[in-house]
Amino acid sequence: MTFKGMYGKPRKLVTDSIRRLANAIEATESSRPTDRKKLKFILMGSDGVTHPGGTTDDKRPLSENVVLSIIRALVPPHRDNEAAAKYIYKDIGTDKSFEWAVVRPTDLVDAEKISKYVTHEKPKGGLFGDNTVSRINVAQLFVDLLTSDDLWQTWVYKFPVVHNAEETVVSSK
């Protein structure tokens, strides 16, 4: 990470890229064969990105809301990631010619090998330190979502949270 990367332009790289991608898919949809499956799009968010519909996530403790407000104000990429998730949920929705999922990994760590991971409808435990997921497991989840129709149907148009399976979920209370 660099200062320019965090605070330089473009300020809404993720949101603008998704908007352009959605427009390009829609513009070329008429030239695609009608018997093909819808395209799949996966956005990597974080468990700091709250579900924009407010339908699945538990209410966060005041301390986490304060920290997220500070991060939102001081770290433009996080604000962009939240805006991108909101754009996908509210503006793209389920009526476009592609399907989507917003994967929200917990605290990212490095690992040498793929291990078991679990997905949840909402964050489990606190925002910081309760759960981790290896980057390689997040990548494996992306592959699994793209190649397993059953898994895709479980998470299409949703915001799954992923963490390593061997973790013990700690209550944030």
Side-chain angles (χ1 to χ4, degrees), residues 37 40 99 144-156:
K37 290 182 180 181
K40 296 177 181 178
E99 299 173 328
D144 293 345
L145 284 167
L146 293 172
T147 58
S148 168
D149 288 336
D150 289 340
L151 185 62
W152 181 255
Q153 288 309 310
T154 300
W155 295 115
V156 66

Coordinates of all heavy atoms in Angstrom, one line a residue, residues 37 40 99 144-156:
K37 N -26.0 -19.6 -19.6 CA -26.2 -19.2 -18.2 C -25.8 -17.7 -18.1 O -25.0 -17.2 -18.8 CB -25.3 -20.0 -17.3 CG -25.7 -21.5 -17.2 CD -24.8 -22.1 -16.2 CE -25.2 -23.6 -16.0 NZ -24.3 -24.2 -15.0
K40 N -21.4 -14.7 -14.0 CA -21.3 -14.6 -12.5 C -20.3 -13.5 -12.2 O -19.2 -13.5 -12.8 CB -20.8 -15.9 -11.9 CG -21.8 -17.1 -12.1 CD -21.2 -18.4 -11.6 CE -22.2 -19.5 -11.8 NZ -21.6 -20.8 -11.3
E99 N -25.4 -12.5 -12.5 CA -25.7 -12.8 -11.1 C -24.4 -12.3 -10.3 O -23.3 -12.3 -10.9 CB -25.9 -14.2 -10.9 CG -27.2 -14.7 -11.6 CD -27.3 -16.2 -11.6 OE1 -26.3 -17.0 -11.5 OE2 -28.5 -16.7 -11.6
D144 N -14.7 -22.2 -6.0 CA -15.9 -23.0 -5.7 C -17.2 -22.4 -6.1 O -18.1 -23.1 -6.6 CB -15.9 -23.4 -4.2 CG -14.7 -24.3 -3.8 OD1 -14.0 -24.8 -4.7 OD2 -14.5 -24.4 -2.6
L145 N -17.3 -21.1 -5.9 CA -18.5 -20.4 -6.3 C -18.7 -20.4 -7.8 O -19.8 -20.6 -8.3 CB -18.5 -18.9 -5.8 CG -18.8 -18.7 -4.3 CD1 -18.4 -17.3 -3.9 CD2 -20.3 -19.0 -4.0
L146 N -17.6 -20.3 -8.5 CA -17.7 -20.3 -10.0 C -17.9 -21.7 -10.6 O -18.5 -21.8 -11.7 CB -16.4 -19.7 -10.6 CG -16.3 -18.2 -10.3 CD1 -14.9 -17.7 -10.7 CD2 -17.4 -17.3 -10.9
T147 N -17.5 -22.7 -9.9 CA -17.6 -24.1 -10.5 C -18.6 -25.0 -9.9 O -19.0 -26.0 -10.4 CB -16.2 -24.8 -10.3 OG1 -15.8 -24.9 -8.9 CG2 -15.1 -24.0 -11.1
S148 N -19.2 -24.6 -8.7 CA -20.2 -25.4 -8.1 C -21.6 -24.7 -8.2 O -21.8 -23.7 -7.5 CB -19.9 -25.7 -6.6 OG -21.0 -26.2 -6.0
D149 N -22.5 -25.2 -9.0 CA -23.8 -24.6 -9.2 C -24.6 -24.6 -7.8 O -25.3 -23.7 -7.5 CB -24.6 -25.3 -10.2 CG -24.1 -25.0 -11.6 OD1 -23.4 -23.9 -11.8 OD2 -24.3 -25.8 -12.5
D150 N -24.4 -25.7 -7.0 CA -25.1 -25.8 -5.8 C -24.7 -24.7 -4.8 O -25.5 -24.0 -4.2 CB -25.0 -27.1 -5.1 CG -25.7 -28.2 -5.8 OD1 -26.7 -27.9 -6.6 OD2 -25.4 -29.4 -5.6
L151 N -23.3 -24.5 -4.7 CA -22.8 -23.5 -3.8 C -23.2 -22.1 -4.3 O -23.6 -21.2 -3.6 CB -21.3 -23.6 -3.7 CG -20.6 -22.6 -2.7 CD1 -21.1 -22.9 -1.3 CD2 -19.1 -22.7 -2.8
W152 N -23.1 -21.9 -5.7 CA -23.5 -20.6 -6.2 C -25.0 -20.3 -5.9 O -25.3 -19.2 -5.5 CB -23.3 -20.6 -7.7 CG -23.6 -19.3 -8.3 CD1 -24.7 -19.0 -9.1 CD2 -22.9 -18.0 -8.2 NE1 -24.8 -17.6 -9.4 CE2 -23.6 -17.0 -8.9 CE3 -21.7 -17.7 -7.6 CZ2 -23.2 -15.7 -9.0 CZ3 -21.3 -16.4 -7.7 CH2 -22.0 -15.4 -8.3
Q153 N -25.8 -21.3 -6.0 CA -27.3 -21.0 -5.8 C -27.5 -20.7 -4.3 O -28.4 -20.0 -4.0 CB -28.1 -22.2 -6.2 CG -28.2 -22.3 -7.7 CD -28.7 -21.0 -8.4 OE1 -29.6 -20.4 -8.0 NE2 -27.9 -20.6 -9.4
T154 N -26.6 -21.2 -3.4 CA -26.7 -20.8 -2.0 C -26.4 -19.4 -1.8 O -27.1 -18.7 -0.9 CB -25.8 -21.7 -1.2 OG1 -26.1 -23.1 -1.4 CG2 -25.8 -21.3 0.3
W155 N -25.5 -18.8 -2.5 CA -25.0 -17.5 -2.2 C -25.3 -16.4 -3.3 O -24.9 -15.3 -3.1 CB -23.5 -17.5 -1.9 CG -23.2 -18.3 -0.7 CD1 -22.5 -19.5 -0.6 CD2 -23.6 -18.0 0.7 NE1 -22.5 -19.9 0.7 CE2 -23.2 -19.0 1.5 CE3 -24.4 -17.0 1.2 CZ2 -23.4 -19.1 2.9 CZ3 -24.6 -17.0 2.6 CH2 -24.1 -18.0 3.4
V156 N -25.9 -16.8 -4.3 CA -26.2 -15.8 -5.4 C -27.1 -14.6 -4.8 O -28.0 -14.9 -4.0 CB -26.9 -16.4 -6.6 CG1 -28.3 -17.0 -6.3 CG2 -26.9 -15.4 -7.8

